[in-house]
mmCIF file of all heavy atoms in Angstrom:
data_model
loop_
_atom_site.group_PDB
_atom_site.id
_atom_site.type_symbol
_atom_site.label_atom_id
_atom_site.label_comp_id
_atom_site.label_asym_id
_atom_site.label_seq_id
_atom_site.Cartn_x
_atom_site.Cartn_y
_atom_site.Cartn_z
ATOM 1 N N ALA P 122 15.837 39.876 4.426
ATOM 2 C CA ALA P 122 17.333 39.942 4.189
ATOM 3 C C ALA P 122 17.757 41.346 3.935
ATOM 4 O O ALA P 122 18.794 41.779 4.459
ATOM 5 C CB ALA P 122 17.641 39.013 2.999
ATOM 6 N N MET P 123 16.989 42.044 3.061
ATOM 7 C CA MET P 123 17.362 43.379 2.724
ATOM 8 C C MET P 123 17.483 44.376 3.871
ATOM 9 O O MET P 123 18.419 45.207 4.095
ATOM 10 C CB MET P 123 16.637 43.939 1.619
ATOM 11 C CG MET P 123 16.823 43.171 0.387
ATOM 12 S SD MET P 123 15.859 43.917 -0.992
ATOM 13 C CE MET P 123 15.969 42.532 -2.159
ATOM 14 N N ALA P 124 16.477 44.263 4.704
ATOM 15 C CA ALA P 124 16.325 45.170 5.872
ATOM 16 C C ALA P 124 17.444 44.776 6.815
ATOM 17 O O ALA P 124 18.151 45.751 7.340
ATOM 18 C CB ALA P 124 14.965 45.110 6.627
ATOM 19 N N TYR P 125 17.830 43.619 6.951
ATOM 20 C CA TYR P 125 18.893 43.126 7.815
ATOM 21 C C TYR P 125 20.195 43.728 7.447
ATOM 22 O O TYR P 125 20.981 44.293 8.217
ATOM 23 C CB TYR P 125 19.001 41.598 7.942
ATOM 24 C CG TYR P 125 20.297 41.180 8.642
ATOM 25 C CD1 TYR P 125 20.441 41.272 10.026
ATOM 26 C CD2 TYR P 125 21.325 40.764 7.844
ATOM 27 C CE1 TYR P 125 21.640 41.034 10.688
ATOM 28 C CE2 TYR P 125 22.546 40.422 8.482
ATOM 29 C CZ TYR P 125 22.703 40.604 9.834
ATOM 30 O OH TYR P 125 23.832 40.359 10.425
ATOM 31 N N TYR P 126 20.491 43.576 6.138
ATOM 32 C CA TYR P 126 21.819 44.120 5.667
ATOM 33 C C TYR P 126 21.896 45.550 5.747
ATOM 34 O O TYR P 126 22.954 46.130 6.004
ATOM 35 C CB TYR P 126 22.144 43.629 4.246
ATOM 36 C CG TYR P 126 22.358 42.098 4.165
ATOM 37 C CD1 TYR P 126 21.606 41.275 3.411
ATOM 38 C CD2 TYR P 126 23.505 41.532 4.808
ATOM 39 C CE1 TYR P 126 21.905 39.880 3.284
ATOM 40 C CE2 TYR P 126 23.784 40.207 4.750
ATOM 41 C CZ TYR P 126 22.954 39.364 4.052
ATOM 42 O OH TYR P 126 23.243 37.942 3.957
ATOM 43 N N ALA P 127 20.771 46.238 5.566
ATOM 44 C CA ALA P 127 20.734 47.676 5.620
ATOM 45 C C ALA P 127 21.037 48.173 7.051
ATOM 46 O O ALA P 127 21.831 49.005 7.337
ATOM 47 C CB ALA P 127 19.458 48.323 5.201
ATOM 48 N N LYS P 128 20.511 47.489 8.008
ATOM 49 C CA LYS P 128 20.701 47.749 9.370
ATOM 50 C C LYS P 128 22.197 47.509 9.750
ATOM 51 O O LYS P 128 22.906 48.306 10.398
ATOM 52 C CB LYS P 128 19.757 46.925 10.355
ATOM 53 C CG LYS P 128 19.810 47.345 11.756
ATOM 54 C CD LYS P 128 19.199 48.636 11.862
ATOM 55 C CE LYS P 128 19.450 49.176 13.336
ATOM 56 N NZ LYS P 128 18.756 50.562 13.477
ATOM 57 N N GLU P 129 22.694 46.382 9.288
ATOM 58 C CA GLU P 129 24.054 45.960 9.603
ATOM 59 C C GLU P 129 25.013 47.052 9.114
ATOM 60 O O GLU P 129 26.088 47.268 9.652
ATOM 61 C CB GLU P 129 24.332 44.585 8.986
ATOM 62 C CG GLU P 129 25.560 43.901 9.492
ATOM 63 C CD GLU P 129 26.075 42.882 8.450
ATOM 64 O OE1 GLU P 129 25.766 42.980 7.246
ATOM 65 O OE2 GLU P 129 26.702 42.052 8.868
ATOM 66 N N GLN P 130 24.714 47.679 8.036
ATOM 67 C CA GLN P 130 25.533 48.693 7.393
ATOM 68 C C GLN P 130 25.433 49.960 8.069
ATOM 69 O O GLN P 130 26.148 50.968 7.732
ATOM 70 C CB GLN P 130 25.215 48.718 5.813
ATOM 71 C CG GLN P 130 26.238 49.488 5.079
ATOM 72 C CD GLN P 130 25.854 49.540 3.584
ATOM 73 O OE1 GLN P 130 25.364 48.547 3.075
ATOM 74 N NE2 GLN P 130 26.132 50.692 2.921
ATOM 75 N N GLY P 131 24.528 50.086 9.129
ATOM 76 C CA GLY P 131 24.320 51.354 9.701
ATOM 77 C C GLY P 131 23.479 52.434 8.958
ATOM 78 O O GLY P 131 23.624 53.564 9.247
ATOM 79 N N LEU P 132 22.664 52.009 8.104
ATOM 80 C CA LEU P 132 21.848 52.900 7.272
ATOM 81 C C LEU P 132 20.618 53.416 8.137
ATOM 82 O O LEU P 132 20.264 52.790 9.098
ATOM 83 C CB LEU P 132 21.308 52.292 5.988
ATOM 84 C CG LEU P 132 22.395 51.876 4.976
ATOM 85 C CD1 LEU P 132 21.726 51.114 3.805
ATOM 86 C CD2 LEU P 132 23.186 53.060 4.579
ATOM 87 N N LYS P 133 20.068 54.486 7.681
ATOM 88 C CA LYS P 133 18.899 55.161 8.312
ATOM 89 C C LYS P 133 17.558 54.469 7.735
ATOM 90 O O LYS P 133 16.615 54.269 8.485
ATOM 91 C CB LYS P 133 18.728 56.588 8.186
ATOM 92 C CG LYS P 133 19.825 57.374 8.822
ATOM 93 C CD LYS P 133 19.376 58.844 8.724
ATOM 94 C CE LYS P 133 20.614 59.801 9.081
ATOM 95 N NZ LYS P 133 21.136 60.564 7.867
ATOM 96 N N GLY P 134 17.600 54.264 6.427
ATOM 97 C CA GLY P 134 16.336 53.755 5.924
ATOM 98 C C GLY P 134 16.500 53.314 4.510
ATOM 99 O O GLY P 134 17.534 53.332 3.840
ATOM 100 N N LEU P 135 15.325 52.888 3.921
ATOM 101 C CA LEU P 135 15.243 52.291 2.583
ATOM 102 C C LEU P 135 14.187 52.979 1.736
ATOM 103 O O LEU P 135 13.274 53.576 2.387
ATOM 104 C CB LEU P 135 15.067 50.829 2.480
ATOM 105 C CG LEU P 135 16.163 50.013 3.089
ATOM 106 C CD1 LEU P 135 15.639 48.523 3.260
ATOM 107 C CD2 LEU P 135 17.416 49.971 2.269
ATOM 108 N N THR P 136 14.287 52.994 0.517
ATOM 109 C CA THR P 136 13.180 53.353 -0.379
ATOM 110 C C THR P 136 12.806 52.268 -1.258
ATOM 111 O O THR P 136 13.666 51.436 -1.650
ATOM 112 C CB THR P 136 13.542 54.670 -1.268
ATOM 113 O OG1 THR P 136 14.417 54.205 -2.232
ATOM 114 C CG2 THR P 136 14.007 55.778 -0.449
ATOM 115 N N THR P 137 11.614 52.201 -1.709
ATOM 116 C CA THR P 137 11.285 51.122 -2.693
ATOM 117 C C THR P 137 10.051 51.530 -3.436
ATOM 118 O O THR P 137 9.452 52.552 -3.127
ATOM 119 C CB THR P 137 11.008 49.775 -1.978
ATOM 120 O OG1 THR P 137 11.117 48.692 -2.935
ATOM 121 C CG2 THR P 137 9.705 49.677 -1.265
#
Side-chain angles (χ1 to χ4, degrees):
M123 291 184 197
Y125 167 75
Y126 288 121
K128 189 66 189 180
E129 194 203 22
Q130 194 178 323
L132 298 176
K133 291 193 198 108
L135 293 172
T136 68
T137 196

